[in-house]
Amino acid sequence: MKMKPIAAFSGMSIIHHALSHPAFTTTLHRRLSNVQLHKKIIAESKAEGTKKPIQLNAVPDKGDLYNEDELMGLLSLHFALNDGNEDEVNSSPVNEEAIPGIHDLVLQTINDIESSSTTPQLSDIKLEEDSPSNLDGSMSILMGLLRDKKPDIRAIASDVDGTLLSSGQVLHPITLDAVLRAIDQSKSNMQQKIQYFFPATGKSRRGAARSLGPIIGPLLYQCPGVYIQGLYCVDADNNVLFERKLPSSAVNAAEELVAQFGLSIIGYDGDNLYSTVLTENVIELSELYGEPTVELMVRDGSVVNLVEHEPGMHKLLLMDKDIERLSSVIRPKLEQLAKLHDATVTQAIPTMLELLPKGCSKALGVQKVCEALGLDAETELLAIGDAENDVGMLQMASIGVAVGNACPQARNAADFIMKERNDEGGAGLAMGLFGFDD
């Protein structure tokens, strides 16, 4: 059974996390500096030494964190630190009931340290049971589970916008190096750890290649790919593995909604993009996000509706700069019409809603590509993403990683949440942590 982000520390992880941090021993020593507290800690360690099962999304109990030997190890550390400093110990009477347990002191100390820590570098993070994890927040992923999965990872699927690409629509150097390494391994004549790398994106294939720049872009045409939210999937030889288009009734209903609210609309037919009005939003899709230039839908010299395009559209983008209106007004109406016309709604960018054929998603496209490549996504795939449209892919993969800038839905779906954002090379770091051999 696939486990999701675990809001608890393992016993060994927290002990080694603590002992390895230069500020920990000093801070904990200060908090344990009352002789009467020693007696309370010893009593707690004897009374509550049995470990309990780790609970998901729960505040860790001291029994979750350490057994009696681990408690006594921490206590021994404190006694060693305290040697020669008895004169500094406060011997005044203390209300024993008001004294916090060692569990509370350790958590307080960890939280104090984490709140003042800088973003860890890749060299500081090791995928080992006794290492600090890179989870965003005060709790840590149970790294042992992911460490055990890592050797079986043979493929990497990654979102593009917001994941591989930074907010400036460029590749961070760390991510660039990681993608090159993944593609190089997949193309090697020697047996390598990573046998496949492929983008899983809402972009067209041409748009993804253009966005990823002159180094990575041309290489995408030698890789499998999941494009247009899983509606156009290809193998490394450019064979179409899966394709699906919207019913014409869904396109027609969406165009009526666009006219009612003055939205911008773009229809995707592979690498060909069409609209009925070249608004600022429409033009920006090419200029800012690297998609192919959007063409007006013209027939016999006149602009016509997208529904008249043959052989149909893979998906529609509905665009509005008013994010609040798009979310609270337009989306409910679009979802309602989607139910009536065998379609579904997803979102990757706050100013855009996407209408797809019913039952389709990026996750389905990833599944189709994995099946064609002979991969078991649940045991052999590392998936990386940041947005709502990545949720299914992150849930399906053996290891699903959300970058630090990910939306709440993606974070909840992931097995691991990077502290590093896309602007900090989070996707590249994730590939290093969970994909490549050390």
Side-chain angles (χ1 to χ4, degrees), residues 168-182:
Q169 294 295 298
V170 296
L171 283 164
H172 188 281
I174 292 175
T175 300
L176 173 62
D177 288 345
V179 173
L180 281 174
R181 182 180 179 187

Side-chain angles (χ1 to χ4, degrees), residues 368-381:
K368 295 293 185 181
V369 169
C370 286
E371 289 173 356
L373 298 176
L375 292 167
D376 179 2
E378 294 186 357
T379 61
E380 298 177 313
L381 180 68

Side-chain angles (χ1 to χ4, degrees), residues 305-324:
N305 290 335
L306 300 181
V307 71
E308 297 188 36
H309 175 69
E310 296 292 344
M313 299 293 184
H314 288 104
K315 75 170 185 178
L316 297 180
L317 284 185
L318 278 66
M319 310 165 72
D320 192 356
K321 290 291 182 65
D322 188 337
I323 295 174
E324 175 60 28

Side-chain angles (χ1 to χ4, degrees), residues 110-130:
I110 291 291
N111 288 336
D112 284 354
I113 292 171
E114 286 189 340
S115 65
S116 61
S117 296
T118 58
T119 301
Q121 300 299 310
L122 182 58
S123 59
D124 299 325
I125 306 167
K126 301 295 182 183
L127 194 58
E128 299 171 354
E129 184 176 18
D130 60 351

